[in-house]
């Protein structure tokens, strides 16, 4: 079973920040949090990952709470091309994806 | 550089027929390999993973089997397809022992009629 829970869907206005939450309350100390996204009919695309500290790359920012039981993926300026299903997963040696959040960016 | 190939890209098969999907990885050795399935409108379901030749772990009971006859080859099979086997099948890999990015193949779309 997936170790994460995410809202099934979210909408975001184009140009605004999209904040996608993820709960991983059973995460253990050495497990990483990874975010992927999947655009229709393609394989998932890696976005970002983190262990304890907040992370930022050219695509997004990842905010992990101090107790590590939840995290938020932030797309700072959402575009129409960011419409996709976003998966938050906790990595052991098995990469188990949940059902993700379907983000719809609205013009 | 590492690449992953998956074929066939599209497959239409009758119920009860056999299935073989193949995945090969280039440019790496001893990767961890994964098979996922995505039914229409659903999330990714982990079917099998392998940490080495001949080592297969099944995540869910089903009508499918997997084999790893060579280090960089991962095969998904069925002796008799069911309608419920329809879906988008994805192969993925990562370096052994790594906790990095999972790399996906292009996917194989199977329709069972």
């Amino acid at each position: 079973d997936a170790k994460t829970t995410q809202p099934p869907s979210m909408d975001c206005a184009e140009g605004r920040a999209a904040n996608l939450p993820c709960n991983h309350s059973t995460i253990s100390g050495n497990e990483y949090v990874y975010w992927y996204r999947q655009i229709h009919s393609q394989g998932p695309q890696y976005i970002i990952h983190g262990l304890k500290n907040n992370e930022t790359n050219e695509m997004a920012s990842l905010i992990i709470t101090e107790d590590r039981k939840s995290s938020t993926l932030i797309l700072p300026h959402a575009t129409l091309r960011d419409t996709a299903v976003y998966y938050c997963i906790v990595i052991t040696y098995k990469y188990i994806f949940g059902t993700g959040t379907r983000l719809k960016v609205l013009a | 550089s590492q690449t992953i190939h998956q074929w066939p890209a599209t497959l239409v098969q009758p119920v009860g027929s056999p299935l073989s999907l193949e995945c090969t990885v280039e440019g790496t050795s001893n990767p961890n390999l994964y098979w996922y399935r995505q039914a229409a409108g659903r999330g990714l379901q982990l079917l099998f993973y392998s940490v080495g030749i001949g080592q297969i772990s099944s995540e869910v009971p089903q009508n499918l089997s997997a084999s790893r006859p060579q280090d960089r080859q991962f095969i998904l099979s069925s002796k008799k397809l069911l309608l419920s086997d329809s879906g988008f099948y994805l192969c993925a890999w990562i370096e052994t022992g790594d906790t990095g990015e999972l790399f996906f193949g292009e996917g194989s779309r199977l329709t069972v009629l």
Side-chain angles (χ1 to χ4, degrees):
Chain A
D1 291 339
K3 298 180 67 172
T4 62
T5 55
Q6 298 175 254
S9 64
M10 292 180 64
D11 290 341
C12 177
E14 189 178 18
R16 293 294 190 101
N19 297 291
L20 294 96
C22 179
N23 286 322
H24 31 81
S25 57
T26 60
I27 194 170
S28 60
N30 60 347
E31 290 178 324
Y32 285 76
V33 178
Y34 273 71
W35 284 83
Y36 285 77
R37 73 179 183 186
Q38 186 179 25
I39 297 170
H40 183 61
S41 297
Q42 298 179 21
Q45 174 193 22
Y46 166 81
I47 301 173
I48 199 168
H49 74 280
L51 182 63
K52 294 181 184 177
N53 301 321
N54 298 336
E55 303 288 343
T56 296
N57 62 21
E58 63 279 2
M59 288 183 69
S61 295
L62 175 61
I63 308 297
I64 303 175
T65 58
E66 194 169 340
D67 63 8
R68 303 211 322 125
K69 292 185 177 181
S70 65
S71 61
T72 301
L73 178 75
I74 301 172
L75 307 177
H77 305 287
T79 70
L80 296 177
R81 287 183 293 182
D82 292 322
T83 292
V85 178
Y86 287 77
Y87 295 98
C88 164
I89 57 175
V90 169
I91 300 300
T92 52
Y93 54 91
K94 294 190 293 188
Y95 288 67
I96 296 179
F97 289 76
T99 52
T101 295
R102 187 172 298 275
L103 175 69
K104 193 173 185 179
V105 180
L106 305 172
Chain B
S1 65
Q2 302 94 341
T3 56
I4 180 169
H5 300 287
Q6 195 179 331
W7 70 92
T10 305
L11 200 58
V12 180
Q13 292 286 102
V15 169
S17 63
L19 171 73
S20 180
L21 300 179
E22 191 161 341
C23 171
T24 59
V25 182
E26 296 176 0
T28 186
S29 60
N30 198 28
N32 286 352
L33 296 170
Y34 303 81
W35 275 112
Y36 290 89
R37 175 171 64 197
Q38 188 168 38
R42 308 291 294 275
L44 282 165
Q45 180 185 33
L46 178 62
L47 301 176
F48 301 95
Y49 68 94
S50 170
V51 299
I53 295 175
Q55 299 180 62
I56 309 294
S57 295
S58 174
E59 282 299 295
V60 292
Q62 57 210 320
N63 185 42
L64 303 167
S65 62
S67 62
R68 186 170 176 175
Q70 300 179 44
D71 181 43
R72 290 171 289 174
Q73 185 184 28
F74 205 22
I75 298 172
L76 184 71
S77 304
S78 174
K79 292 182 179 178
K80 288 185 179 181
L81 284 168
L82 306 173
L83 287 175
S84 57
D85 292 324
S86 293
F88 188 48
Y89 289 81
L90 285 157
C91 178
W93 74 275
I94 190 170
E95 297 281 2
T96 297
D98 197 3
T99 52
E101 180 180 349
L102 192 63
F103 296 95
F104 285 86
E106 304 91 345
S108 299
R109 188 163 300 281
L110 171 66
T111 302
V112 182
L113 302 176

